Amino acid sequence: MTVSPEHFTQAIEIARRLKSEIDRAVIGQDNAIQSVLACFLAGGHVLLEGMPGLGKTLLVKALAKTFSGQFARIQFTPDLMPADLIGHAMFDIKSQNFTVRRGPIFTNLLLADEINRAPAKTQAALLEVMQERQATIEGESHQLEAPYMVLATQNPLEQEGTYPLPEAQLDRFLVKVLMDYPSAEEELALTRQVTNNRLGDGLDVSSVNTIIKPDTVITLQQIVAAVRVDEQVVDYAVRIVRATRDWPGIGIGAGPRGAIALIRLARAWALLDERDFVTPDDIKQSAYPVLRHRIAMTPEAELEGLDPDRLLRGLLEQLPAPRA
Amino acid sequence: MKLEQLQVDARPRPHAQAIDLGMALLREHARTVYLCWWALWLPLGLIVALLSPHGFLSWNWVILWWLRPLIERSTIFILSRGVFGETISVRQALRAWPRLLRKGWIRTLTWWRPIVTGRGLYQPVWVLEGADGAQATQRRRVLGARGAYGSAAWFGIICAHFEFVLQLALLSLLGLFFSSVDEMNPFLLLQDEFAPGRWENHLPLVGYLISAGLIGPYYAASCFTLYLNRRAELEGWDIEIALRRLLRRRQSLLDRGAAKSMLGLLVAGFCLVLPAPDSQAADCSKLPVPGDTAASRASAVSAQQRQLRASIDSLSRGQEFSHWECVTKWEAKTKVPEKIDTDEESWLSKLFRTRAPDLPVAEILKPLVITLAIALIVWLLWRNRRLLGGLLPAARDPERQIASEIAGLDIRPESLPGDIPTSVLQLWQRGQRREALALLYRASVSRLAHADSLEIAPGFTEGDCLQSARQAERQGLLSQPAGVLFAEITRAWQAAAYADRWPQDEQLRNLCLRWPPALGGQS
């Protein structure tokens, strides 16, 4: 697809406005907003990790409102079954027919809260939907409406009684975004905003304006896919991913899907940075959210108290940037 | 001991991490450690097996267990050299081993043996530090504090359990083969003298030989790194290493001439502040040798006195009296200086006495001097604020690295032509657009890295360099026009290199025009 410079300019402007609209509702978490938006534009799925109450649901609701998309939230529990997600066929006595009841996954943005609390088969059902973008109910395939994005959350604490996602399934998430506590100033502003002339503590996205339609999002995603990537930049992404496979402290490196994900996210990142071409910096920035869940640390590194981001930082500092 | 040669990251760690570090260290030197261990362990086992009395064969492994601390010293010796990057051969380690047994062996092999499971933490005190007696006791007390001994002891108990389980597993396996088909008994070999006079009675010893031969080096290595960790904590190795790097870095800055004036000021300050050292104490070679008293004596009054003096002199010349040493050190003044009783009045006091007899001179001068001293310290801190930033733990790279290449471009000053803008424009006019922009960009980065001392590591991308420049601009280390120009050059270079989008002639000329005043200073 060839995209004219005017379209790029429009896309950059829309992306900028999308971010500023989300910023109105979600205070702080700038990095998380940027990563989620980039992932949305790249057409991927997000794994969010953070403590409860950091604005994960608010972020998704705000994003959904910016393009008047549908939003659904599922709280994953140990007794959640695949049919609860996907839907099922039910016999209607009046019409003497089976009618299909679609599950909550038939939406634009799906917040899968605490995905690691559901058993493996429910997780697998969701991950299959994420990959195929369709669901099968009673042998009949149902396409999911585009744009479609799953935002699955994990709580870093309370690991007891959870079913950690296996590496192969983690690979299906384009990015893993870490949400940390906001700074003192941000928390002050957030508290003021939520408590000012407000009843209860419900999530309010009334300040967010709808600026595009779902169809525009699809066009936007197509424009992102056409962002120019130089050969040297692709080479850099591949070298990063390959380096993770024999880097000290990393037991299992990222697979080929890692490099693909790096390029996809870097394209969106470039657009958010108001450029129509990708630089090595976009790759470098994308490396943390894209690779942190695709690598497994060695036990020694874990005992040393290191984390994936620190290992990746060391790798990125030492790996030579592209030869221009 | 050269701390800068330390092969492990010297930082205070939790005890569990320190123990784990020992395992990593052992893996690094496993071949030498295990070969040396077995070269000593196997002959010892043979000797024990041969010399054991007949009725004691099932329990002769206890003798081997009892003597094991002596073997552990070879592991400590090898690893102690290994952590400083020195590779020890098995032959060297075996030759050094008898020397390692000189101190602390009585304690280790007698009342300590059955009860002190954390002995591995203390063995380096004898083996490496050569301490003995009260000094060693003091060292052990210090090293074992803050739960270090507890960790070593519990680790010793864990290792003993592993050894026991391994030994039991081996004996049980063999017991199954030795027992009769009708009466399978895995614990057959553990029964006293199950087959008197047969070689199988030595199997418990073999079991222990194997289990301790596998796990023993782990215990010794982990206790050694626990010891290292305690020393790093106590002696602040990480701080010392950081300070040495800081010193090197400061030296490099001083060499460049930017801070030579500061050095002069510091030296002058120290000369003023420090008292002059005692000239006699400073030169030990000029001190009289103790015992050389003949010159200062009065002549002898009797033959008996002469004889007595001769006897004393011959005794004094003995080896036990010939050792002397001269120690020079700074000490806090505790003595009250003697009041100088002089009739001569200084010109300053005379001046104040005559011109302003009621002026409280000391009360005025004291706050003035203190204020000046504080101002001097604040100025020095401000002047060196970037150097001090390196002291923050894990916040910065410990060593400043100046990259010679950024994004594949050579940024060494010697690789650049003298007149950058002219060279860039010449290349541009010849149609070598990529070369022209590459030269302009790398000259800018070179200038930032070498003249402005910006932190630029080899793995930096264009964006990282730009971020570094912005940070320097915020800190006032880089002028605003230079920062703005560098950002523009970076953008132009990125668009050309990664999007094949070239600047207009006018834009390039503008960049070249602004380059000399903003960035061309010292490239």
Side-chain angles (χ1 to χ4, degrees):
Chain A
M1 178 186 168
T2 314
V3 182
S4 66
E6 291 75 33
H7 281 121
F8 265 120
T9 315
Q10 279 177 9
I12 287 167
E13 176 58 21
I14 291 170
R16 196 186 56 73
R17 283 181 61 199
L18 280 175
K19 183 162 186 312
S20 67
E21 287 301 327
I22 298 169
D23 281 340
R24 286 186 188 192
V26 185
I27 295 171
Q29 306 296 354
D30 211 42
N31 195 34
I33 294 172
Q34 184 94 355
S35 299
V36 168
L37 194 55
C39 182
F40 179 61
L41 295 176
H45 305 288
V46 184
L47 182 62
L48 276 169
E49 193 171 284
M51 301 299 285
L54 291 179
K56 295 188 280 277
T57 313
L58 181 65
L59 170 59
V60 185
K61 277 183 87 170
L63 178 61
K65 197 175 175 195
T66 55
F67 68 99
S68 64
Q70 290 176 356
F71 158 75
R73 178 174 177 274
I74 313 168
Q75 180 67 46
F76 276 51
T77 53
D79 57 353
L80 190 78
M81 301 305 285
D84 299 332
L85 282 179
I86 295 165
H88 53 274
M90 199 176 163
F91 186 70
D92 187 0
I93 298 172
K94 278 185 186 171
S95 62
Q96 292 291 302
N97 272 324
F98 279 97
T99 52
V100 172
R101 284 200 171 182
R102 290 182 162 200
I105 57 157
F106 289 92
T107 180
N108 292 122
L109 294 186
L110 176 72
L111 182 66
D113 229 348
E114 298 196 84
I115 190 171
N116 53 344
R117 297 220 173 268
K121 65 176 176 183
T122 311
Q123 290 175 359
L126 177 67
L127 294 165
E128 194 185 331
V129 169
M130 285 161 59
Q131 180 74 7
E132 308 294 333
R133 310 229 170 197
Q134 65 173 25
T136 309
I137 305 170
E138 294 295 316
E140 194 183 334
S141 292
H142 298 264
Q143 287 291 327
L144 295 168
E145 215 170 292
Y148 183 69
M149 180 163 82
V150 174
L151 293 100
T153 72
Q154 278 192 152
N155 185 345
L157 303 177
E158 299 169 16
Q159 293 296 313
E160 207 173 327
T162 61
Y163 303 86
L165 293 171
E167 279 78 13
Q169 295 189 352
L170 280 173
D171 210 25
R172 307 216 185 273
F173 289 99
L174 185 70
V175 293
K176 179 180 179 182
V177 177
L178 304 180
M179 287 183 89
D180 206 352
Y181 287 111
S183 66
E185 293 81 29
E186 288 167 353
E187 200 160 349
L188 196 68
L190 185 135
T191 312
R192 277 204 195 106
Q193 183 182 316
V194 174
T195 55
N196 200 16
N197 291 327
R198 195 82 64 77
L199 195 64
D201 59 354
L203 303 173
D204 183 23
V205 288
S206 57
S207 58
V208 179
N209 298 313
T210 302
I211 53 171
I212 48 171
K213 291 178 180 171
D215 291 347
T216 319
V217 175
I218 297 163
T219 314
L220 208 55
Q221 287 176 341
Q222 284 167 347
I223 291 173
V224 167
V227 168
R228 179 183 177 135
V229 188
D230 195 85
E231 268 309 303
Q232 304 157 69
V233 179
V234 178
D235 177 66
Y236 183 47
V238 173
R239 278 194 291 122
I240 289 175
V241 170
R242 291 183 72 82
T244 61
R245 293 171 201 160
D246 49 10
W247 196 258
I250 299 178
I252 304 169
R257 203 177 275 165
I260 296 166
L262 264 182
I263 297 292
R264 281 175 64 194
L265 191 72
R267 281 188 155 125
W269 216 287
L271 195 83
L272 285 172
D273 205 23
E274 304 183 1
R275 270 181 286 108
D276 60 354
F277 62 94
V278 176
T279 65
D281 295 295
D282 299 319
I283 299 286
K284 211 169 182 178
Q285 272 186 315
S286 307
Y288 296 101
V290 165
L291 296 179
R292 63 165 68 104
H293 60 295
R294 289 186 163 90
I295 60 170
M297 292 197 297
T298 57
E300 290 86 358
E302 282 187 21
L303 268 170
E304 280 278 300
L306 300 174
D307 55 51
D309 280 16
R310 198 164 159 188
L311 289 173
L312 287 171
R313 196 178 307 128
L315 185 151
L316 293 167
E317 275 174 9
Q318 289 183 37
L319 198 78
R323 293 189 161 272
Chain B
M1 188 168 69
K2 291 181 178 174
L3 283 183
E4 58 272 27
Q5 291 176 359
L6 202 60
Q7 302 292 302
V8 295
D9 185 13
R11 62 178 167 84
R13 300 159 194 263
H15 295 150
Q17 280 187 20
I19 286 172
D20 185 63
L21 182 68
M23 310 228 174
L25 191 64
L26 180 66
R27 280 200 295 279
E28 194 74 20
H29 302 276
R31 190 176 168 274
T32 321
V33 168
Y34 273 101
L35 279 176
C36 187
W37 181 287
W38 278 95
L40 297 165
W41 191 231
L42 206 59
L44 192 67
L46 281 172
I47 293 166
V48 170
L50 292 172
L51 298 182
S52 298
H54 195 68
F56 189 62
L57 291 181
S58 299
W59 293 99
N60 56 4
W61 62 270
V62 177
I63 301 171
L64 206 58
W65 173 81
W66 205 276
L67 295 172
R68 208 184 87 182
L70 301 180
I71 311 293
E72 287 166 2
R73 293 186 174 197
S74 68
T75 303
I76 294 168
F77 175 73
I78 294 164
L79 296 182
S80 69
R81 299 300 188 272
V83 288
F84 288 100
E86 190 185 341
T87 311
I88 292 284
S89 68
V90 178
R91 185 188 289 263
Q92 283 174 315
L94 289 174
R95 276 189 184 165
W97 184 65
R99 191 161 36 86
L100 308 175
L101 305 180
R102 283 180 194 162
K103 288 179 181 171
W105 62 272
I106 299 175
R107 185 186 290 267
T108 320
L109 297 186
T110 51
W111 72 95
W112 264 35
R113 186 63 189 103
I115 51 170
V116 183
T117 54
R119 66 182 179 282
L121 177 68
Y122 298 144
Q123 291 244 53
V125 174
W126 297 302
V127 178
L128 305 176
E129 297 180 22
D132 208 355
Q135 193 193 355
T137 310
Q138 176 64 23
R139 285 293 293 151
R140 287 199 303 272
R141 194 173 296 135
V142 173
L143 288 167
R146 301 191 67 178
Y149 175 72
S151 300
W154 278 112
F155 185 65
I157 291 168
I158 290 166
C159 285
H161 277 80
F162 274 111
E163 284 169 19
F164 178 68
V165 168
L166 193 57
Q167 189 186 8
L168 199 67
L170 285 167
L171 294 179
S172 305
L173 182 70
L174 293 171
L176 289 172
F177 288 100
F178 282 104
S179 54
S180 66
V181 181
D182 300 328
E183 201 180 335
M184 296 293 274
N185 181 10
F187 302 111
L188 183 74
L189 295 178
L190 301 177
Q191 291 170 0
D192 283 351
E193 306 292 332
F194 81 97
R198 290 173 60 187
W199 63 270
E200 291 89 339
N201 277 323
H202 288 299
L203 287 174
L205 178 79
V206 174
Y208 181 70
L209 202 72
I210 294 170
S211 64
L214 291 173
I215 292 167
Y218 273 102
Y219 169 74
S222 294
C223 285
F224 171 65
T225 44
L226 195 60
Y227 160 82
L228 273 186
N229 188 50
R230 276 296 289 150
R231 283 198 63 178
E233 265 176 37
L234 291 166
E235 295 165 28
W237 284 3
D238 51 337
I239 298 169
E240 190 175 338
I241 290 169
L243 285 172
R244 283 182 187 183
R245 283 175 180 154
L246 197 68
L247 194 69
R248 276 207 303 275
R249 193 171 147 193
R250 194 183 70 174
Q251 192 61 44
S252 72
L253 282 175
L254 287 174
D255 289 346
R256 247 180 263 141
K260 276 182 182 166
S261 57
M262 191 191 79
L263 180 67
L265 190 70
L266 274 173
V267 172
F270 271 105
C271 290
L272 285 171
V273 173
L274 293 177
D278 185 340
S279 58
Q280 194 183 34
D283 189 359
C284 291
S285 63
K286 289 181 182 169
L287 284 174
V289 178
D292 186 16
T293 51
S296 60
R297 281 179 187 154
S299 55
V301 291
S302 65
Q304 192 188 357
Q305 193 180 12
R306 258 196 305 277
Q307 198 180 349
L308 199 63
R309 280 182 178 178
S311 166
I312 290 168
D313 287 347
S314 70
L315 269 174
S316 304
R317 280 194 291 273
Q319 200 178 356
E320 57 271 33
F321 293 109
S322 63
H323 173 75
W324 67 282
E325 61 182 43
C326 169
V327 178
T328 312
K329 63 178 180 181
W330 293 105
E331 272 190 352
K333 280 185 180 174
T334 49
K335 290 179 187 170
V336 179
E338 285 178 22
K339 197 173 179 182
I340 300 165
D341 191 11
T342 173
D343 291 331
E344 281 187 31
E345 197 175 11
S346 72
W347 64 270
L348 192 67
S349 66
K350 201 183 280 178
L351 179 76
F352 279 111
R353 191 174 54 74
T354 52
R355 297 289 169 90
D358 299 329
L359 196 68
V361 180
E363 278 80 357
I364 294 170
L365 282 181
K366 192 177 169 184
L368 195 69
V369 170
I370 291 171
T371 311
L372 280 173
I374 291 171
L376 181 69
I377 292 166
V378 169
W379 180 79
L380 285 171
L381 287 173
W382 180 83
R383 186 79 199 257
N384 294 294
R385 60 196 182 281
R386 289 182 61 235
L387 300 182
L388 292 165
L391 286 175
L392 298 171
R396 304 267 173 91
D397 280 339
E399 199 162 0
R400 179 175 182 263
Q401 295 173 302
I402 298 176
S404 59
E405 205 174 78
I406 293 292
L409 301 170
D410 192 347
I411 61 159
R412 288 170 302 140
E414 57 269 26
S415 70
L416 299 169
D419 188 352
I420 302 292
T422 311
S423 305
V424 170
L425 288 171
Q426 279 171 356
L427 286 168
W428 187 261
Q429 280 156 8
R430 282 207 297 267
Q432 294 171 281
R433 295 186 300 179
R434 192 178 192 87
E435 288 78 2
L437 265 181
L439 175 61
L440 187 63
Y441 179 69
R442 74 189 170 100
S444 307
V445 178
S446 175
R447 152 75 206 214
L448 295 177
H450 293 94
D452 292 314
S453 300
L454 245 65
E455 295 277 357
I456 291 178
F460 269 28
T461 55
E462 292 92 344
D464 293 329
C465 295
L466 189 59
Q467 205 177 354
S468 194
R470 280 179 183 149
Q471 196 180 350
E473 198 183 326
R474 278 196 296 275
Q475 291 173 346
L477 300 169
L478 188 72
S479 68
Q480 201 205 357
V484 172
L485 180 63
F486 183 65
E488 283 180 37
I489 291 172
T490 304
R491 275 196 294 274
W493 163 248
Q494 282 181 324
Y498 305 113
D500 209 18
R501 200 173 294 146
W502 304 95
Q504 301 292 321
D505 292 358
E506 190 52 42
Q507 192 188 347
L508 187 87
R509 263 195 291 277
N510 180 266
L511 292 176
C512 289
L513 201 67
R514 286 157 59 204
W515 203 87
L519 285 165
Q522 295 172 39
S523 74

mmCIF file of all heavy atoms in Angstrom, chain B residues 340-361:
data_model
loop_
_atom_site.group_PDB
_atom_site.id
_atom_site.type_symbol
_atom_site.label_atom_id
_atom_site.label_comp_id
_atom_site.label_asym_id
_atom_site.label_seq_id
_atom_site.Cartn_x
_atom_site.Cartn_y
_atom_site.Cartn_z
ATOM 1 N N ILE B 340 53.296 30.373 73.568
ATOM 2 C CA ILE B 340 54.554 31.012 73.186
ATOM 3 C C ILE B 340 54.679 32.324 73.952
ATOM 4 O O ILE B 340 53.807 33.205 73.843
ATOM 5 C CB ILE B 340 54.588 31.260 71.662
ATOM 6 C CG1 ILE B 340 54.462 29.920 70.941
ATOM 7 C CG2 ILE B 340 55.846 31.995 71.241
ATOM 8 C CD1 ILE B 340 54.126 30.057 69.493
ATOM 9 N N ASP B 341 55.655 32.336 74.715
ATOM 10 C CA ASP B 341 55.873 33.522 75.525
ATOM 11 C C ASP B 341 56.889 34.405 74.828
ATOM 12 O O ASP B 341 58.083 34.144 74.828
ATOM 13 C CB ASP B 341 56.373 33.087 76.909
ATOM 14 C CG ASP B 341 56.361 34.238 77.880
ATOM 15 O OD1 ASP B 341 55.780 35.299 77.530
ATOM 16 O OD2 ASP B 341 56.934 34.093 78.944
ATOM 17 N N THR B 342 56.412 35.391 74.152
ATOM 18 C CA THR B 342 57.350 36.256 73.432
ATOM 19 C C THR B 342 56.945 37.716 73.598
ATOM 20 O O THR B 342 55.767 38.037 73.723
ATOM 21 C CB THR B 342 57.403 35.884 71.947
ATOM 22 O OG1 THR B 342 58.196 36.858 71.291
ATOM 23 C CG2 THR B 342 56.031 35.822 71.318
ATOM 24 N N ASP B 343 57.931 38.514 73.603
ATOM 25 C CA ASP B 343 57.651 39.944 73.753
ATOM 26 C C ASP B 343 57.316 40.588 72.425
ATOM 27 O O ASP B 343 56.745 41.671 72.368
ATOM 28 C CB ASP B 343 58.883 40.634 74.350
ATOM 29 C CG ASP B 343 59.073 40.197 75.788
ATOM 30 O OD1 ASP B 343 58.045 39.865 76.440
ATOM 31 O OD2 ASP B 343 60.220 40.149 76.238
ATOM 32 N N GLU B 344 57.689 39.859 71.320
ATOM 33 C CA GLU B 344 57.453 40.438 70.006
ATOM 34 C C GLU B 344 55.987 40.358 69.634
ATOM 35 O O GLU B 344 55.387 39.289 69.716
ATOM 36 C CB GLU B 344 58.273 39.694 68.958
ATOM 37 C CG GLU B 344 59.705 40.130 68.948
ATOM 38 C CD GLU B 344 60.446 39.505 67.794
ATOM 39 O OE1 GLU B 344 59.824 39.260 66.741
ATOM 40 O OE2 GLU B 344 61.648 39.255 67.954
ATOM 41 N N GLU B 345 55.388 41.431 69.227
ATOM 42 C CA GLU B 345 53.978 41.461 68.864
ATOM 43 C C GLU B 345 53.855 41.442 67.345
ATOM 44 O O GLU B 345 54.618 42.100 66.650
ATOM 45 C CB GLU B 345 53.363 42.744 69.408
ATOM 46 C CG GLU B 345 51.864 42.703 69.459
ATOM 47 C CD GLU B 345 51.318 43.957 70.128
ATOM 48 O OE1 GLU B 345 52.077 44.907 70.345
ATOM 49 O OE2 GLU B 345 50.126 43.967 70.410
ATOM 50 N N SER B 346 52.894 40.626 66.855
ATOM 51 C CA SER B 346 52.756 40.539 65.400
ATOM 52 C C SER B 346 52.198 41.841 64.841
ATOM 53 O O SER B 346 51.515 42.584 65.555
ATOM 54 C CB SER B 346 51.838 39.388 65.033
ATOM 55 O OG SER B 346 50.526 39.728 65.371
ATOM 56 N N TRP B 347 52.488 42.055 63.558
ATOM 57 C CA TRP B 347 52.056 43.328 62.936
ATOM 58 C C TRP B 347 50.533 43.434 62.907
ATOM 59 O O TRP B 347 49.965 44.504 63.050
ATOM 60 C CB TRP B 347 52.620 43.450 61.527
ATOM 61 C CG TRP B 347 52.106 42.392 60.576
ATOM 62 C CD1 TRP B 347 52.658 41.185 60.350
ATOM 63 C CD2 TRP B 347 50.925 42.450 59.777
ATOM 64 N NE1 TRP B 347 51.928 40.474 59.477
ATOM 65 C CE2 TRP B 347 50.836 41.236 59.087
ATOM 66 C CE3 TRP B 347 49.938 43.422 59.571
ATOM 67 C CZ2 TRP B 347 49.808 40.957 58.215
ATOM 68 C CZ3 TRP B 347 48.918 43.135 58.696
ATOM 69 C CH2 TRP B 347 48.837 41.901 58.023
ATOM 70 N N LEU B 348 49.859 42.239 62.824
ATOM 71 C CA LEU B 348 48.397 42.280 62.732
ATOM 72 C C LEU B 348 47.773 42.716 64.058
ATOM 73 O O LEU B 348 46.896 43.579 64.113
ATOM 74 C CB LEU B 348 47.894 40.881 62.335
ATOM 75 C CG LEU B 348 46.448 40.793 61.929
ATOM 76 C CD1 LEU B 348 46.190 41.536 60.625
ATOM 77 C CD2 LEU B 348 46.025 39.351 61.771
ATOM 78 N N SER B 349 48.256 42.071 65.131
ATOM 79 C CA SER B 349 47.671 42.426 66.432
ATOM 80 C C SER B 349 48.009 43.858 66.802
ATOM 81 O O SER B 349 47.224 44.563 67.427
ATOM 82 C CB SER B 349 48.140 41.445 67.497
ATOM 83 O OG SER B 349 49.517 41.590 67.693
ATOM 84 N N LYS B 350 49.244 44.266 66.355
ATOM 85 C CA LYS B 350 49.631 45.669 66.639
ATOM 86 C C LYS B 350 48.681 46.628 65.915
ATOM 87 O O LYS B 350 48.242 47.622 66.476
ATOM 88 C CB LYS B 350 51.078 45.886 66.161
ATOM 89 C CG LYS B 350 51.747 47.068 66.814
ATOM 90 C CD LYS B 350 53.138 47.272 66.250
ATOM 91 C CE LYS B 350 54.109 46.301 66.900
ATOM 92 N NZ LYS B 350 55.472 46.435 66.343
ATOM 93 N N LEU B 351 48.370 46.243 64.691
ATOM 94 C CA LEU B 351 47.494 47.093 63.887
ATOM 95 C C LEU B 351 46.125 47.235 64.548
ATOM 96 O O LEU B 351 45.598 48.336 64.717
ATOM 97 C CB LEU B 351 47.335 46.460 62.492
ATOM 98 C CG LEU B 351 46.440 47.210 61.531
ATOM 99 C CD1 LEU B 351 47.160 48.434 60.971
ATOM 100 C CD2 LEU B 351 46.003 46.305 60.380
ATOM 101 N N PHE B 352 45.554 46.066 64.923
ATOM 102 C CA PHE B 352 44.226 46.119 65.551
ATOM 103 C C PHE B 352 44.258 46.818 66.901
ATOM 104 O O PHE B 352 43.332 47.522 67.273
ATOM 105 C CB PHE B 352 43.676 44.699 65.727
ATOM 106 C CG PHE B 352 43.063 44.146 64.450
ATOM 107 C CD1 PHE B 352 43.664 43.106 63.753
ATOM 108 C CD2 PHE B 352 41.897 44.694 63.935
ATOM 109 C CE1 PHE B 352 43.117 42.615 62.577
ATOM 110 C CE2 PHE B 352 41.346 44.199 62.765
ATOM 111 C CZ PHE B 352 41.952 43.166 62.080
ATOM 112 N N ARG B 353 45.362 46.604 67.651
ATOM 113 C CA ARG B 353 45.426 47.201 68.993
ATOM 114 C C ARG B 353 45.492 48.715 68.924
ATOM 115 O O ARG B 353 44.873 49.433 69.689
ATOM 116 C CB ARG B 353 46.650 46.645 69.733
ATOM 117 C CG ARG B 353 46.682 46.974 71.218
ATOM 118 C CD ARG B 353 47.830 46.281 71.893
ATOM 119 N NE ARG B 353 49.116 46.551 71.265
ATOM 120 C CZ ARG B 353 49.778 47.717 71.366
ATOM 121 N NH1 ARG B 353 49.280 48.712 72.050
ATOM 122 N NH2 ARG B 353 50.946 47.870 70.773
ATOM 123 N N THR B 354 46.248 49.179 67.915
ATOM 124 C CA THR B 354 46.419 50.635 67.828
ATOM 125 C C THR B 354 45.221 51.309 67.151
ATOM 126 O O THR B 354 44.753 52.342 67.612
ATOM 127 C CB THR B 354 47.702 50.974 67.045
ATOM 128 O OG1 THR B 354 47.636 50.263 65.806
ATOM 129 C CG2 THR B 354 48.935 50.571 67.826
ATOM 130 N N ARG B 355 44.732 50.713 66.066
ATOM 131 C CA ARG B 355 43.657 51.367 65.299
ATOM 132 C C ARG B 355 42.265 51.112 65.875
ATOM 133 O O ARG B 355 41.403 51.983 65.847
ATOM 134 C CB ARG B 355 43.670 50.863 63.850
ATOM 135 C CG ARG B 355 44.929 51.203 63.093
ATOM 136 C CD ARG B 355 44.986 52.700 62.780
ATOM 137 N NE ARG B 355 46.296 53.098 62.292
ATOM 138 C CZ ARG B 355 46.623 53.096 61.018
ATOM 139 N NH1 ARG B 355 45.754 52.708 60.116
ATOM 140 N NH2 ARG B 355 47.822 53.471 60.641
ATOM 141 N N ALA B 356 42.029 49.895 66.324
ATOM 142 C CA ALA B 356 40.680 49.584 66.846
ATOM 143 C C ALA B 356 40.804 48.730 68.095
ATOM 144 O O ALA B 356 40.661 47.505 68.057
ATOM 145 C CB ALA B 356 39.879 48.858 65.771
ATOM 146 N N PRO B 357 41.146 49.342 69.197
ATOM 147 C CA PRO B 357 41.404 48.555 70.412
ATOM 148 C C PRO B 357 40.180 47.791 70.923
ATOM 149 O O PRO B 357 40.324 46.749 71.541
ATOM 150 C CB PRO B 357 41.867 49.611 71.427
ATOM 151 C CG PRO B 357 41.388 50.915 70.901
ATOM 152 C CD PRO B 357 41.297 50.806 69.427
ATOM 153 N N ASP B 358 38.986 48.272 70.636
ATOM 154 C CA ASP B 358 37.784 47.602 71.176
ATOM 155 C C ASP B 358 37.176 46.589 70.208
ATOM 156 O O ASP B 358 36.129 45.993 70.488
ATOM 157 C CB ASP B 358 36.713 48.655 71.527
ATOM 158 C CG ASP B 358 37.243 49.607 72.601
ATOM 159 O OD1 ASP B 358 38.067 49.124 73.417
ATOM 160 O OD2 ASP B 358 36.865 50.788 72.586
ATOM 161 N N LEU B 359 37.797 46.428 69.045
ATOM 162 C CA LEU B 359 37.203 45.544 68.021
ATOM 163 C C LEU B 359 37.410 44.068 68.394
ATOM 164 O O LEU B 359 38.539 43.635 68.618
ATOM 165 C CB LEU B 359 37.868 45.825 66.669
ATOM 166 C CG LEU B 359 37.141 45.290 65.439
ATOM 167 C CD1 LEU B 359 35.828 46.021 65.225
ATOM 168 C CD2 LEU B 359 38.035 45.464 64.217
ATOM 169 N N PRO B 360 36.320 43.248 68.448
ATOM 170 C CA PRO B 360 36.485 41.813 68.766
ATOM 171 C C PRO B 360 36.957 41.044 67.508
ATOM 172 O O PRO B 360 36.164 40.516 66.747
ATOM 173 C CB PRO B 360 35.082 41.381 69.192
ATOM 174 C CG PRO B 360 34.156 42.354 68.545
ATOM 175 C CD PRO B 360 34.915 43.622 68.289
ATOM 176 N N VAL B 361 38.270 41.015 67.295
ATOM 177 C CA VAL B 361 38.848 40.486 66.054
ATOM 178 C C VAL B 361 38.471 39.022 65.838
ATOM 179 O O VAL B 361 38.033 38.615 64.753
ATOM 180 C CB VAL B 361 40.390 40.636 66.087
ATOM 181 C CG1 VAL B 361 40.992 40.100 64.804
ATOM 182 C CG2 VAL B 361 40.751 42.076 66.303
#
